Amino acid sequence: MQRFTVNPIGRISVKKDGMYLKVGQKYIPALRALDGFSHLNAIWWFSRFDSEEARSTLETLKPYKSAPDIMGIFATRSPVRPNPIALSTVQVIRSDYEKGVIQIAYIDADDGSPLLDIKPYTPSLDRVETPGVPEWCCHWPNSTEQSGSFDWENEFNF
């Protein structure tokens, strides 16, 4: 099987003063023309979960209260997976493209997580008007905006 090399373009900063995508100096020119996008897709590495054991986990016991008793890891958003790649849609608060810093509203990453790529969120390619989901999660919010006020702690078994 072919192996791939992935090089981070920067780091995710999660501090008391805010959350940021910080792009390395070399990659700052790649930020040109991002102005005007309210949201971005941040692709990052779950570095805390990059172990042989985590990469070998293919099934998990019921992580969500209403879910089936055993789930394949691809049916979850768990950081434990064969390749610990994460995808988060983030809202842009402000950007300093000269410094390579984008302040975002929220991301479920740890401070210092490697940032692999940034793509603009565009409804024509990223939005699905009527997505189908299993019955066990059909009561979850329909948007990231609604997710902020949803009682997520009541959904998980951890």
Side-chain angles (χ1 to χ4, degrees):
M1 187 176 291
Q2 185 178 1
R3 297 190 60 83
F4 299 92
T5 301
V6 178
N7 298 308
I9 62 164
R11 297 277 174 193
I12 297 171
S13 176
V14 178
K15 304 288 185 193
K16 288 182 181 182
D17 71 334
M19 298 183 178
Y20 305 87
L21 305 179
K22 294 187 173 181
V23 175
Q25 186 74 31
K26 169 181 171 180
Y27 297 100
I28 289 175
L31 298 173
R32 185 178 311 274
L34 270 182
D35 290 336
F37 287 102
S38 66
H39 291 76
L40 303 171
N41 286 318
I43 301 166
W44 53 281
W45 198 257
F46 279 118
S47 53
R48 259 191 347 151
F49 295 91
D50 192 358
S51 69
E52 192 59 40
E53 180 183 354
R55 285 174 171 251
S56 299
T57 302
L58 302 180
E59 293 181 324
T60 186
L61 296 177
K62 190 175 185 167
Y64 314 110
K65 291 182 178 175
S66 300
D69 289 339
I70 297 177
M71 295 180 69
I73 210 68
F74 296 148
T76 75
R77 295 192 55 104
S78 170
V80 175
R81 48 198 331 106
N83 291 299
I85 298 170
L87 169 65
S88 298
T89 300
V90 299
Q91 180 183 4
V92 176
I93 294 175
R94 74 179 64 86
S95 303
D96 184 339
Y97 295 125
E98 290 178 13
K99 292 183 180 177
V101 177
I102 302 169
Q103 184 176 9
I104 57 176
Y106 177 78
I107 192 165
D108 58 341
D110 292 324
D111 183 53
S113 294
L115 180 63
L116 303 181
D117 205 346
I118 298 170
K119 296 178 184 281
Y121 175 92
T122 55
S124 58
L125 298 173
D126 299 314
R127 182 176 174 197
V128 177
E129 291 286 339
T130 53
V133 297
E135 188 174 322
W136 58 264
C137 67
C138 68
H139 64 284
W140 289 3
N142 289 325
S143 68
T144 57
E145 291 85 358
Q146 294 173 357
S147 290
S149 60
F150 187 71
D151 184 11
W152 285 107
E153 288 187 24
N154 194 41
E155 294 298 312
F156 298 105
N157 285 326
F158 49 89

